[in-house]
């Protein structure tokens, strides 16, 4: 049993949470192994925070079970779950000094003053804040407050640390530094971290397991690499970013590769990886933005159409440092983006308004599951959040 | 207003500032007149000019020449205000906490409190007087008057608690539970300390509203008077500056209570945000 | 041992509710009942009669009392609204730092925590025939005879009401104005609105819950008052409640109760008319 109490494996079994008539979390199942860094990623209102709060014990699931270390924790108070939570704006007690904030849980357990202060100081020195022990929370910077919150959570010696948008209160520079710090801390402690965020890059940077959520459901749960390489649905491809999503009707299937025809006549090939689509059915596919080759065509197209190619006019060019993001207006409504490396971009200078064609190879195409889900709003969100 | 002093202000600022100054003069001017007049010489009258400066009328008050039992009324008023404060703080904080959750009958209680707040005080006084009469009980300042005043201070306390708890971030409580606090520990070590400035505000309202209460007390205090009742009696039969001396004394008491309450609120706030500069929660209790 | 959340709420709200039921609910019901009772000298005779109401509605005095009260209410409401709106506007939009805002706001609210009776009395040496005001004007040579309408007159009553009650306009209007997003006003300026247009088109509509709340306070306070009218009019004017207090002091409880019931109904109608126009519940519950 002693080893069990240190096991931070989390398992959600068909968990549903309703608030009145709204379903915040819709029959979600998920297993997070002990010692993993898991990120729940999704737009606001997708249910990610609700899941976190149910694991913490601040909400009770309407249905389903939550297990930590193999034991059901539903109905248990937060303190008896072995979890600790870092709140969104940290929720440091404004009336207590930094030291008393960190020592709070020991005080609740009746640890005597000297012992609890000693232990709290040790933890503060771990987050390099020992010299701020006597300060009040309002006298600290955002980054320092975050470290106090971390120390306060860790003093309970949790097997699971739950982080609700832990970096959203920080400025860009600190956000980048602290996410590295969180990752390092998690590896050092070897406990499970569950981190809620709406920022794709943050999630990709820290997570072992990335859980992409939408409208109370899990769209995909896998390693960041797998999600980036092989998004399961159009939604994931769009939300996580870095992908172009195209669609067409199946024309033919040969050697595990389907050829689809888009409404404007363009044809694409897609490796099926075991899928068996019926001829004529609609398929969705994604192509990584950084695997696309762009060439100028001039206004009258001399180049013949070929498979895996689209034509259009350059709509915008954003220089991003190591690469340039080139947005191409297709004749169809949807935008098409190519991320060209700076070397490549230097070789073929492009201007807004240029007529171009974009090409890619079959190997870089990924078949997406299910219907379109071409939710323009989610797409716009993804763009907005730096996808 | 330093730092923006160089920026030119529109003429409306000066017009409104002048209006504000006039309003403050209107608010405080007459009161200052009676405080000055209370130091009238022994032969002075109810108006200017001052016929010398003395503490004569304060002595007259203590000696209770031609006045009623001022000292007794004062003691009763302080005692009553202290009791009202305690009940108001405890009951309003409890009720405020209750109102954070939905419960059957919540709106009934809320509307009763509002009705009690705006009911003319004399009617409450009349009603309680009738109840005591029909039960053949003697009204007393520590019984019926206490209850009468609570019908006035509790709604105020409840509304202040709504405002205070409405601003309270529930994450503090969740953090406390997370860190192993029991419900009682959470209340004692987190919720109450954080809303303490608001609770002091409730106490300030409770004390001063009770200490100065007149219409609800007039038929419920029984055979002995509280200070406002004594002052009321004096307005009709005392025509000396002793009346003003009472006014000065009770105002000084009120000001001490206000100063203690506001200073302690300010100290708590300052301690929490000494260098934060973003004290965007105004401390005004209203 | 797990107690139901609802039960916890009930236990928490019970003391406040109990006090309000015993000292407000029951007494008010008794007032309602007594208004239908007969009386002989000081004795209430519990037989159901309508005589109290019949006499009330047949008496020409009733109408005169209501007209006087409504005259006071209308004038005091208009004056306190003008002052309250102007002062709140100045504090919210022209005072630039929070410290000054809190400081000046406190200056306006401190008198609320001091005795109403003393504040009322303080006008006597100010407005009297030989008071500060007349003295000053005579010394300046503006008048040669003391103005006698200043004290013990309608004028004095209104001055005292405005003095006591303006605060109840300032605080709610201040609260709703403080919530107005400055960006909204700047957008109106950018759209070419003049200063006055911004006030009438943006500030006024967005402060209406505060104005409504202040109006309710002022109406109920003026309608329910009896001691200001008694003292400041020098006994020359009477309103519904001041007449009622005279009935009470001569122990004529049943007609007094009937009169109270009628007044409460009328005030309740006024308040619900205001509530129908503006939803202030959100304002109250924060």
């Amino acid at each position: 049993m002693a080893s069990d109490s240190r096991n931070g494996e989390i398992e959600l079994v068909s968990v549903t949470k309703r608030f009145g008539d709204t379903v915040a979390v819709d029959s979600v199942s998920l297993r997070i192994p002990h010692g993993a860094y898991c990120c729940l990623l999704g737009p606001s209102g997708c249910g990610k925070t609700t899941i976190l709060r149910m694991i913490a014990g601040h909400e009770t699931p309407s249905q389903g079970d939550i297990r930590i270390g193999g034991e059901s924790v539903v109905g248990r108070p937060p303190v008896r779950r072995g979890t600790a939570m870092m709140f969104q704006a940290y929720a440091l007690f404004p009336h207590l000094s930094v030291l008393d904030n960190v020592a709070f849980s020991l005080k609740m357990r009746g640890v005597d003053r000297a012992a609890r202060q000693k232990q709290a100081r040790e933890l503060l020195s771990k987050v390099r804040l020992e010299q701020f022990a006597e300060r009040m929370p309002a006298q600290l910077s955002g980054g320092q407050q975050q470290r106090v919150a971390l120390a306060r959570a860790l003093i309970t010696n949790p097997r699971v640390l739950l982080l609700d948008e832990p970096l959203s209160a920080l400025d860009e520079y600190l956000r980048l530094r602290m996410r590295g710090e969180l990752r390092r801390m998690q590896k050092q402690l070897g406990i499970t971290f569950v981190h809620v965020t709406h920022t794709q890059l943050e999630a990709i940077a820290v997570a072992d397991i990335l859980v992409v959520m939408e409208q109370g459901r899990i769209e995909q749960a896998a390693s960041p690499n797998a999600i980036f390489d092989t998004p399961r649905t159009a939604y994931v491809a769009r939300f996580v970013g870095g992908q172009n999503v195209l669609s067409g009707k199946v024309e033919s299937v040969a050697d595990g590769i389907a050829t689809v025809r888009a409404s404007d006549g363009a044809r694409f090939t897609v490796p099926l990886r075991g899928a068996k689509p019926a001829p004529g059915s609609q398929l969705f596919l994604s192509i990584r933005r950084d695997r696309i080759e762009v060439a100028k065509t001039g206004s009258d197209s001399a180049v013949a159409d070929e498979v895996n190619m689209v034509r259009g006019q350059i709509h915008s060019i954003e220089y991003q440092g190591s690469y340039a993001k080139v947005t191409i207006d297709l004749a169809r409504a949807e935008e098409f983006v190519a991320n060209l490396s700076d070397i490549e971009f230097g070789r073929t200078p492009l201007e807004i308004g240029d007529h171009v064609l974009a090409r890619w190879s079959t190997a870089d195409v990924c078949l997406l599951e299910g219907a379109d889900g071409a939710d323009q709003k989610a797409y716009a969100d993804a763009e907005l959040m730096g996808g | 207003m330093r730092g923006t002093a160089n920026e030119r202000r529109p003429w409306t600022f000066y017009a409104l500032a002048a209006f504000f100054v006039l309003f403050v003069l209107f608010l405080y001017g007459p009161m200052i007149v009676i405080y000055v007049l209370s130091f009238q010489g022994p032969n002075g009258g109810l108006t200017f000019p001052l016929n010398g400066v003395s503490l004569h009328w304060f002595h007259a008050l203590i000696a209770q020449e031609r006045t009623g039992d001022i000292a007794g009324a004062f003691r009763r008023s302080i005692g009553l205000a202290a009791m009202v404060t305690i009940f108001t703080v405890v009951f309003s904080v409890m009720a405020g906490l209750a109102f954070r959750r939905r419960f059957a009958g919540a709106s009934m209680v809320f509307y009763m409190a509002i009705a009690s707040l705006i009911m003319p005080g004399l009617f409450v006084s009349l009603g309680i007087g009738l109840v005591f009469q029909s039960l053949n009980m003697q009204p007393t300042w520590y019984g019926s008057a206490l209850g009468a005043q609570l019908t006035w201070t509790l709604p105020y306390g409840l509304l202040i608690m709504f405002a205070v708890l409405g601003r309270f971030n529930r994450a503090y409580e969740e953090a406390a539970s997370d860190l192993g606090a029991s419900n009682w520990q959470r209340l004692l070590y987190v919720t109450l300390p954080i809303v303490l400035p608001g609770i002091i505000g409730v106490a300030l309202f409770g004390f001063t509203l009770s200490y100065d209460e007149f219409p609800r007390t007039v038929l419920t205090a029984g055979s002995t008077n509280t200070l406002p009742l004594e002052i009321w009696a004096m307005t009709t039969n005392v025509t000396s500056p002793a009346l003003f001396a009472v006014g000065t004394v009770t105002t000084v008491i009120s000001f001490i209570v206000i100063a203690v309450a506001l200073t302690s609120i300010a100290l708590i706030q300052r301690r929490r945000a000494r260098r934060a500069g973003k004290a965007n929660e105004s401390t005004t209790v209203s | 041992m797990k107690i139901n959340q609802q039960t916890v709420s009930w236990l928490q709200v019970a003391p406040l509710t109990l006090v309000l039921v015993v000292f407000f609910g029951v007494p008010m019901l008794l007032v309602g009942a007594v208004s239908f009772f007969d009386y002989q000298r000081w004795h209430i005779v519990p037989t159901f009669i309508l005589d109290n109401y019949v006499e009330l509605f047949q008496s020409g005095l009733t109408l005169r009392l209501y007209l006087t009260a409504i005259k006071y209410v209308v004038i005091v409401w208009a004056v306190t609204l003008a002052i309250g709106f102007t002062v709140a506007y100045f504090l919210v939009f022209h005072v630039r730092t929070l410290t000054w805002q809190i400081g000046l706001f406190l200056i306006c609210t401190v008198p609320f925590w001091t005795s109403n009776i003393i504040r009322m009395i303080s006008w006597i040496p100010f407005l009297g025939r030989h008071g500060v005001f007349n003295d000053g004007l005579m010394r300046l040579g503006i008048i040669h005879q003391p103005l006698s309408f200043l004290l013990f007159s309608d004028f004095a009553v209104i001055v005292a009401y405005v003095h006591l009650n303006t605060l109840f306009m300032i605080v709610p209007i201040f609260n709703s104005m403080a919530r107005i997003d400055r960006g909204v006003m700047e957008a109106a300026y950018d759209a070419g609105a003049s200063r006055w247009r911004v006030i009438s088109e943006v500030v006024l509509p967005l402060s209406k819950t505060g104005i409504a709340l202040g109006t309710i306070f002022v109406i109920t306070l003026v309608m329910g008052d009896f001691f200001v009218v008694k003292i400041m009019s020098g006994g020359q004017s009477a309103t519904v409640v001041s007449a009622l207090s005279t009935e009470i002091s001569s122990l004529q409880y049943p007609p007094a109760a009937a009169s109270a019931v009628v007044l409460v109904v009328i005030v309740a109608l006024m308040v619900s008319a205001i509530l129908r126009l503006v939803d202030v519940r959100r304002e109250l519950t924060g």
Side-chain angles (χ1 to χ4, degrees):
Chain A
M1 284 307 278
S3 69
D4 229 10
S5 74
R6 296 303 313 152
N7 182 355
E9 181 195 67
I10 302 169
E11 202 171 356
L12 306 183
V13 186
S14 312
V15 171
T16 297
K17 177 67 182 177
R18 285 183 217 93
F19 294 105
D21 291 334
T22 33
V23 180
V25 174
D26 189 1
S27 187
V28 161
S29 295
L30 176 68
R31 202 185 73 85
I32 305 168
H34 173 70
Y37 198 126
C38 172
C39 262
L40 302 181
L41 173 68
S44 52
C46 71
K48 57 190 193 299
T49 301
T50 309
I51 289 186
L52 194 77
R53 290 170 58 78
M54 285 192 289
I55 299 173
H58 296 307
E59 304 282 359
T60 315
S62 311
Q63 266 157 38
D65 195 14
I66 295 174
R67 297 185 192 135
I68 300 177
E71 277 180 292
S72 174
V73 294
V74 174
R76 276 200 211 169
V79 66
R80 289 193 40 237
R81 294 177 177 223
T83 59
M85 182 140 166
M86 230 175 91
F87 289 81
Q88 183 154 22
Y90 313 133
L92 295 177
F93 302 127
H95 61 297
L96 298 180
S97 69
V98 165
L99 189 69
D100 289 341
N101 259 285
V102 176
F104 187 84
S105 75
L106 300 178
K107 183 175 179 178
M108 296 304 106
R109 270 189 268 151
V111 176
D112 74 85
R113 193 182 159 81
R116 66 176 190 249
Q117 291 206 342
K118 180 166 168 288
Q119 215 176 322
R121 271 182 212 284
E122 275 166 22
L123 231 90
L124 277 176
S125 70
K126 252 191 204 167
V127 294
R128 298 186 308 282
L129 279 176
E130 59 272 47
Q131 71 273 35
F132 296 106
E134 312 307 328
R135 295 253 186 118
M136 301 305 279
Q139 297 172 276
L140 301 181
S141 71
Q144 291 165 338
Q145 289 185 6
Q146 200 236 22
R147 272 141 64 196
V148 176
L150 195 60
R152 185 179 71 174
L154 291 178
I155 205 164
T156 61
N157 206 9
R159 50 181 166 168
V160 174
L161 185 66
L162 305 164
L163 307 102
D164 188 3
E165 300 273 6
L167 304 173
S168 63
L170 304 177
D171 63 38
E172 184 66 23
Y173 168 76
L174 266 176
R175 200 154 41 222
L176 294 183
R177 237 187 59 187
M178 289 312 295
R179 80 185 189 200
E181 188 77 355
L182 284 178
R183 176 76 192 163
R184 190 184 62 79
M185 190 75 98
Q186 188 265 337
K187 287 293 159 244
Q188 205 178 53
L189 295 165
I191 61 174
T192 312
F193 272 37
V194 184
H195 173 146
V196 159
T197 180
H198 59 256
T199 311
Q200 293 85 344
L201 293 179
E202 181 178 312
I204 290 168
V206 294
D208 297 319
I209 303 170
L210 185 54
V211 179
V212 182
M213 293 196 58
E214 157 74 348
Q215 295 183 347
R217 291 173 170 279
I218 292 179
E219 287 284 319
Q220 189 169 7
S223 72
N225 191 7
I227 286 188
F228 205 71
D229 245 13
T230 52
R232 194 175 66 84
T233 62
Y235 177 82
V236 174
R238 289 189 171 104
F239 187 78
V240 174
Q243 310 278 348
N244 290 298
V245 176
L246 297 170
S247 68
K249 290 206 160 71
V250 176
E251 257 188 3
S252 61
V253 176
D255 300 334
I257 291 180
T259 305
V260 302
R261 190 184 166 88
S263 52
D264 65 348
R267 287 148 82 190
F268 316 123
T269 50
V270 49
L272 289 172
R273 294 197 184 99
K276 290 188 175 56
S281 64
Q282 183 93 349
L283 286 191
F284 288 85
L285 46 127
S286 68
I287 306 111
R288 280 175 62 159
R289 289 176 176 179
D290 53 352
R291 300 287 163 80
I292 288 163
E293 184 194 325
V294 177
K296 273 203 241 191
T297 59
S299 55
D300 56 349
S301 56
V303 187
D305 279 336
E306 43 183 288
V307 165
N308 292 342
M309 188 184 92
V310 290
R311 290 170 187 282
Q313 220 179 342
I314 294 184
H315 174 259
S316 65
I317 300 173
E318 288 170 53
Y319 187 60
Q320 304 273 2
S322 59
Y323 68 95
K325 178 182 172 193
V326 178
T327 308
I328 303 167
D329 259 343
L330 301 187
R332 306 198 304 264
E334 220 170 316
E335 272 185 345
F336 194 86
V337 177
N339 290 345
L340 304 180
S341 75
D342 52 347
I343 300 167
E344 213 178 323
F345 187 68
R347 263 203 310 267
T348 50
L350 297 167
E351 300 282 342
I352 290 175
D354 281 353
H355 289 267
V356 291
L357 57 81
R359 275 188 286 235
W360 60 91
S361 67
T362 309
D364 294 321
V365 177
C366 173
L367 176 66
L368 303 174
E369 261 177 40
D372 180 13
D375 188 336
Q376 287 298 322
K377 190 186 141 286
Y379 185 50
D381 283 350
E383 283 294 306
L384 205 69
M385 291 160 189
Chain B
M1 290 186 210
R2 243 178 325 156
T4 53
N6 297 337
E7 209 177 309
R8 269 196 63 216
R9 291 172 177 281
W11 65 270
T12 45
F13 170 80
Y14 298 99
L16 287 168
F19 183 89
F20 183 79
V21 170
L22 282 178
F23 172 69
V24 171
L25 279 177
F26 167 76
L27 212 53
Y28 287 86
M31 295 164 69
I32 290 168
V33 168
I34 68 156
Y35 306 146
V36 172
L37 285 174
S38 64
F39 294 96
Q40 184 69 284
N43 302 316
L46 281 167
T47 55
F48 284 109
L50 278 184
N51 213 331
V53 175
S54 75
L55 293 175
H56 176 85
W57 301 106
F58 292 95
H59 288 300
L61 213 65
I62 296 163
Q64 304 188 352
E65 296 165 14
R66 283 179 296 160
T67 61
D69 181 16
I70 289 282
F74 176 74
R75 272 198 307 274
R76 281 187 288 275
S77 269
I78 294 282
L80 179 56
M83 286 196 291
V84 168
T85 306
I86 292 167
F87 284 121
T88 304
V89 166
V90 176
F91 293 177
S92 337
V93 170
M94 285 171 69
L97 292 173
F99 270 94
R100 295 198 299 173
R101 290 182 296 265
R102 288 161 183 279
F103 61 93
S107 58
M108 278 266 290
V109 176
F110 175 73
Y111 284 118
M112 186 159 70
I114 297 298
S116 179
L117 181 70
I118 60 179
M119 181 63 69
L122 188 66
F123 298 176
V124 178
S125 216
L126 170 64
I128 295 174
L130 286 173
V131 169
F132 273 66
Q133 194 181 16
S134 61
L135 295 176
N136 269 329
M137 285 164 65
Q138 279 302 312
T140 54
W141 64 270
Y142 48 83
S144 46
L146 173 67
Q149 296 196 344
L150 285 175
T151 66
W152 159 240
T153 58
L154 286 178
Y156 267 107
L158 187 64
L159 289 183
I160 296 170
M161 286 316 294
F162 281 171
V164 169
L165 293 170
R167 271 202 307 244
F168 178 79
N169 182 357
R170 292 300 276 275
Y172 292 134
E173 290 184 337
E174 289 175 351
S177 314
D178 229 47
L179 296 168
S182 67
N183 288 351
W184 281 109
Q185 285 176 319
R186 191 175 66 194
L187 185 69
L188 200 63
Y189 294 116
V190 175
T191 315
L192 291 183
I194 291 177
V195 300
L196 184 62
I199 295 176
I200 296 173
V202 175
L204 171 63
F205 270 78
F207 191 93
T208 58
L209 290 179
S210 159
Y211 179 71
D212 298 324
E213 217 292 329
F214 173 60
R216 277 160 218 259
T217 323
V218 68
L219 301 176
T220 52
S223 51
T224 47
N225 278 349
T226 60
L227 198 55
L229 299 186
E230 200 60 47
I231 296 170
W232 173 252
M234 285 174 75
T235 58
T236 45
N237 57 31
V238 175
T239 48
S240 71
L243 180 58
F244 300 153
V246 181
T248 305
V249 171
T250 79
T251 310
V252 167
I253 303 279
S254 294
F255 269 81
I256 289 172
V257 172
I258 297 167
V260 167
L262 295 183
T263 311
S264 47
I265 292 174
L267 283 179
I268 294 167
Q269 302 281 34
R270 176 112 52 95
R271 188 175 132 78
R272 286 183 200 169
R274 207 167 301 148
R275 219 175 36 180
K278 48 177 181 182
N280 42 16
E281 288 185 2
S282 69
T283 52
T284 50
V285 277
S286 51
Chain C
M1 188 183 72
K2 208 165 152 67
I3 314 171
N4 180 331
Q5 293 282 308
Q6 174 115 335
T7 317
V8 173
S9 284
W10 280 337
L11 289 174
Q12 283 172 331
V13 87
L16 178 133
T17 313
L18 198 68
V19 170
L20 290 183
V21 166
V22 171
F23 289 97
F24 173 70
V26 171
M28 288 301 105
L29 290 178
L30 192 59
V31 169
V34 166
S35 71
F36 294 103
F37 287 174
D38 200 356
Y39 68 104
Q40 292 165 345
R41 294 208 186 165
W42 326 292
H43 276 296
I44 297 170
V45 184
T47 47
F48 182 86
I49 55 165
L50 287 171
D51 296 22
N52 300 315
Y53 288 97
V54 173
E55 274 168 35
L56 195 64
F57 287 117
Q58 279 176 346
S59 158
L61 181 66
T62 310
L63 188 63
R64 281 207 304 282
L65 292 175
Y66 271 97
L67 284 179
T68 313
I70 285 169
K71 174 181 77 186
Y72 288 143
V73 165
V74 170
I75 296 172
V76 172
W77 174 75
V79 176
T80 53
L81 176 58
I83 297 176
F85 190 87
T86 315
V87 167
Y89 183 82
F90 171 72
L91 289 178
V92 172
F93 296 115
H94 281 278
V95 178
R96 289 178 188 169
T97 66
L98 189 77
T99 322
W100 273 89
Q101 217 173 53
I102 294 175
L104 295 181
F105 185 83
L106 280 179
I107 287 180
C108 297
T109 46
V110 159
F112 172 76
W113 291 309
T114 63
S115 166
N116 269 359
I117 293 183
I118 296 296
R119 285 167 68 204
M120 177 189 73
I121 290 169
S122 69
W123 283 99
I124 294 173
F126 198 86
L127 295 177
R129 273 185 78 80
H130 302 287
V132 176
F133 197 70
N134 270 328
D135 245 29
L137 289 183
M138 300 236 294
R139 209 163 291 173
L140 290 171
I142 297 170
I143 54 166
H144 303 287
Q145 288 280 316
L147 301 171
S148 55
F149 74 84
L150 290 178
L151 189 59
F152 303 133
S153 60
D154 281 354
F155 177 79
V157 174
I158 286 163
V159 165
Y161 278 145
V162 170
H163 189 225
L164 296 178
N165 299 334
T166 302
L167 176 77
F168 291 94
M169 273 292 186
I170 295 177
V171 173
I173 297 178
F174 178 92
N175 274 339
S176 37
M177 272 188 192
R179 281 183 214 164
I180 298 177
D181 179 2
R182 299 301 167 97
V184 173
M185 294 175 68
E186 277 160 19
Y189 283 124
D190 289 353
S194 68
R195 215 181 284 283
W196 292 113
R197 289 289 294 245
V198 171
I199 292 176
S200 64
E201 307 277 328
V202 179
V203 180
L204 201 60
L206 290 177
S207 325
K208 73 176 187 213
T209 48
I211 293 172
L213 212 52
T215 304
I216 291 175
F217 278 131
V218 168
I219 288 178
T220 53
L221 285 166
V222 173
M223 288 299 276
D225 163 75
F226 61 98
F227 61 89
V228 173
V229 176
K230 274 198 168 169
I231 295 289
M232 297 309 275
S233 77
Q236 294 173 43
S237 288
T239 58
V240 191
V241 183
S242 76
L244 192 150
S245 80
T246 313
E247 282 178 323
I248 289 173
S249 50
S250 54
L251 299 177
Q252 298 173 337
Y253 289 135
S259 177
V261 168
V262 171
L263 184 94
V264 167
V265 169
I266 288 174
V267 171
L269 287 176
M270 288 163 119
V271 170
S272 60
I274 294 167
L275 290 179
R276 192 161 282 233
L277 287 174
V278 184
D279 182 19
V280 297
R281 218 171 334 159
R282 217 165 47 93
E283 191 84 12
L284 279 177
T285 49

